[in-house]
Amino acid sequence: MFIFDVETLGVESTAVVLSAALIHFDPEVKPDYQTLLDSAMYVKFNAKEQIQNYKRTVDPNTLDWWKKQHEYVRGMALDPKPDDLSAADGLSYLRQFVRKFPGWEKQTMWARGSLDQLAIDSLATKLALEPITNYNMWRDVRTAVDLLYGSTNGYCEVEHPTFNRAAVIKHHPVHDCALDAMMLMYGKTV
């Protein structure tokens, strides 16, 4: 199965996609947090290209929210980098990553809520490209965690001997994916 996360400049499907991460994992293998981080695929998108060429949107409230985040995460998400990928190239890399796993088309794609799927699928549609996976394979991590572990906010404690919650970098898509996978596999009932 896969776990996916995007960082955006809004909460609408048309929002600029800043970055995305994908992790493929097998819950039977029981990977640890570092293994999940090490196996991640990360893409940083060119935000300016999305605004100019594809009329992707920027929500002022979301931009203000980003400005209040930790300097490292804010810089990683918002600061243009020379190796930022075009929307087409970023989507292509994400699709290639998914398709290298046998049976990818039947594997669950976990995400935290629905915005991630809506934003990445909307971007693919805008570019007339195939989505990274089939629309019916998406599942919500928050709902699963609440149902599995009795939480009411989509989060739970993780019971794993090497897991250190303090090592999680919030709003970094790779870390967000790895944390969600850890909660799905090693969650502790409330």
Side-chain angles (χ1 to χ4, degrees):
M1 62 182 59
F2 297 94
I3 198 140
F4 179 76
D5 186 64
V6 293
E7 299 301 333
T8 65
L9 283 178
V11 293
E12 299 294 329
S13 63
T14 57
V16 168
V17 176
L18 296 170
S19 58
L22 263 168
I23 296 176
H24 182 266
F25 67 102
D26 181 350
E28 300 297 319
V29 173
K30 301 288 188 190
D32 63 13
Y33 189 71
Q34 190 60 52
T35 301
L36 292 166
L37 293 176
D38 292 344
S39 66
M41 161 27 130
Y42 172 76
V43 169
K44 171 84 165 48
F45 287 94
N46 182 321
K48 187 175 182 180
E49 176 223 18
Q50 291 177 56
I51 295 166
Q52 291 177 343
N53 297 352
Y54 306 115
K55 308 302 180 225
R56 303 297 287 184
T57 59
V58 177
D59 174 58
N61 293 328
T62 303
L63 194 53
D64 287 343
W65 177 87
W66 272 112
K67 291 176 182 175
K68 296 173 187 164
Q69 300 311 304
H70 187 276
E71 180 182 346
Y72 169 73
V73 173
R74 185 178 63 242
M76 188 190 76
L78 296 179
D79 292 349
K81 310 276 188 303
D83 57 347
D84 286 356
L85 295 176
S86 69
D89 287 347
L91 287 165
S92 175
Y93 284 129
L94 293 168
R95 267 194 318 280
Q96 288 172 20
F97 179 84
V98 168
R99 284 158 174 74
K100 76 180 185 178
F101 296 95
W104 66 268
E105 66 279 358
K106 295 179 182 174
Q107 293 191 41
T108 301
M109 179 69 73
W110 291 99
R112 180 158 285 279
S114 58
L115 178 61
D116 299 62
Q117 176 187 5
L118 292 171
I120 205 70
D121 283 356
S122 170
L123 185 59
T125 298
K126 187 70 175 176
L127 276 73
L129 296 173
E130 191 177 345
I132 64 172
T133 194
N134 301 324
Y135 77 95
N136 60 337
M137 298 313 300
W138 290 89
R139 301 294 183 272
D140 177 26
V141 170
R142 290 185 294 204
T143 302
V145 168
D146 285 352
L147 290 172
L148 288 169
Y149 306 114
S151 62
T152 58
N153 64 357
Y155 289 94
C156 65
E157 294 301 317
V158 172
E159 286 187 305
H160 189 278
T162 65
F163 181 71
N164 175 7
R165 189 69 165 246
V168 177
I169 302 172
K170 292 182 76 167
H171 311 301
H172 183 302
V174 172
H175 283 262
D176 288 346
C177 282
L179 174 60
D180 282 345
M182 292 296 287
M183 287 190 294
L184 286 173
M185 290 184 291
Y186 310 111
K188 180 179 177 181
T189 302
V190 176

